[in-house]
Amino acid sequence: GNSVTQMEGPVTLSEEAFLTINCTYTATGYPSLFWYVQYPGEGLQLLLKATKADDKGSNKGFEATYRKETTSFHLEKGSVQVSDSAVYFCALSEGYNFNKFYFGSGTKLNVKP
Amino acid sequence: AAGVIQSPRHLIKEKRETATLKCYPIPRHDTVYWYQQGPGQDPQFLISFYEKMQSDKGSIPDRFSAQQFSDYHSELNMSSLELGDSALYFCASSPNAGNTEAFFGQGTRLTVV
């Protein structure tokens, strides 16, 4: 079946620190991979995506590369800001229903000034 | 720009009561998805609709039903509510044009007491 495993949080960093949130997946076919961000009291917002192996998704300084050989899609950012504090969800979708997501458990990021 | 509108934003119901959640997709979006996010949990896919027909079904209890109307808005009906139904219910919409992004609403927070 399909599943996503991501590192547990919370992750606490100082401003300008380097961020990595690990995400690995299990899928029966050829999934598309996503990172969603959820700010307090808000809905989920798409941060970035990659639809095939070796693709790199990037947005707002965040990057993630679709690694089929390691079934991973780790999220990275070189220099985090306080405004990046949120919960980050790794997700996959597969097949004809592109927006039917299997989410990871979410990683809460706290960035301190 | 218009976003996905969900109503109500907050709802408190007693056990065994019925609740109806509404979702108004972005104009010209013909596909709607419902997700349930329990406290501290990852969002779980419930059901999706395309052109007023159910397109996929996930872990939706038999006590729940949903439909999409001619104006593309969708309603999630929940009967015989249980304490475990307390969650944030998200709706997302997308145009059904290949691998296009889904946009999430801010969610309805249902509390069953």
Side-chain angles (χ1 to χ4, degrees), chain A:
Chain A
N2 297 319
S3 67
V4 174
T5 302
Q6 61 182 102
M7 63 188 287
E8 291 188 18
V11 173
T12 301
L13 297 173
S14 298
E15 208 166 19
E16 299 184 3
F18 184 85
L19 168 71
T20 299
I21 301 178
N22 290 337
C23 171
T24 57
Y25 68 88
T26 302
T28 53
Y30 302 94
S32 295
L33 301 174
F34 307 79
W35 277 99
Y36 274 85
V37 58
Q38 185 177 33
Y39 298 101
E42 300 285 322
L44 296 163
Q45 298 176 27
L46 178 64
L47 182 59
L48 54 84
K49 67 181 181 184
T51 57
K52 61 182 188 297
D54 299 326
D55 270 2
K56 177 186 281 188
S58 60
N59 185 25
K60 300 180 182 179
F62 290 90
E63 292 183 342
T65 301
Y66 188 143
R67 303 282 188 202
K68 188 178 178 183
E69 63 277 11
T70 54
T71 61
S72 65
F73 193 56
H74 304 321
L75 182 68
E76 296 182 336
K77 187 175 185 183
S79 176
V80 293
Q81 306 300 312
V82 173
S83 58
D84 294 327
S85 297
V87 180
Y88 292 81
F89 289 93
C90 184
L92 71 81
S93 74
E94 192 172 46
Y96 70 94
N97 203 346
F98 184 69
N99 291 305
K100 176 185 178 181
F101 299 112
Y102 297 85
F103 285 95
S105 55
T107 302
K108 185 172 184 179
L109 171 66
N110 295 315
V111 180
K112 296 184 174 181

Side-chain angles (χ1 to χ4, degrees), chain B residues 8-69:
Chain B
R9 291 292 309 278
H10 302 273
L11 188 59
I12 300 175
K13 291 284 186 178
E14 294 188 355
K15 282 192 303 183
R16 294 180 288 278
E17 283 192 317
T18 297
T20 297
L21 280 52
K22 297 184 179 182
C23 170
Y24 297 87
I26 292 172
R28 291 180 295 282
H29 283 195
D30 51 15
T31 307
V32 168
Y33 311 81
W34 285 96
Y35 286 84
Q36 177 192 56
Q37 185 180 22
Q41 304 290 314
D42 55 289
Q44 295 286 322
F45 172 75
L46 292 177
I47 196 166
S48 62
F49 292 89
Y50 164 62
E51 280 292 344
K52 294 152 279 185
M53 298 289 290
Q54 180 182 308
S55 56
D56 207 339
K57 193 172 181 180
S59 50
I60 183 169
D62 291 341
R63 298 177 290 108
F64 293 7
S65 64
Q67 57 182 321
Q68 186 179 32
F69 294 86

